[in-house]
Amino acid sequence: MPRTELRPVIKLRSTAGTGYTYVTRKNRRTDPERVVLRKYDPVAREHVDFREER
């Protein structure tokens, strides 16, 4: 199986509305739905939810 098929690169966009993004990989088998992670947004200067965008 190619590398990009099982663990695709996804973009995580801030829900604070600042437009800040993180880039990461996810496992499609263990997380088939969209990922939501709580990470630091340096523009908003606080920890906020980051949602996967397609």
Side-chain angles (χ1 to χ4, degrees), residues 1 4 6-7 9-10 16-18 24-25 27 31 34-36 38 40 44 46-47 53-54:
M1 212 175 228
T4 58
L6 183 60
R7 295 189 63 88
V9 174
I10 60 167
T18 59
T24 187
R25 292 184 179 273
N27 189 335
D31 291 319
R34 291 191 183 183
V35 176
V36 177
R38 191 155 175 84
Y40 183 74
E46 61 184 349
H47 284 83
E53 70 173 24
R54 295 190 175 149

Side-chain angles (χ1 to χ4, degrees), residues 12 15 22 35-41 46-51:
L12 299 170
T15 58
Y22 281 99
V35 176
V36 177
L37 297 174
R38 191 155 175 84
K39 295 179 76 66
Y40 183 74
D41 187 341
E46 61 184 349
H47 284 83
V48 296
D49 286 340
F50 279 75
R51 296 189 188 277

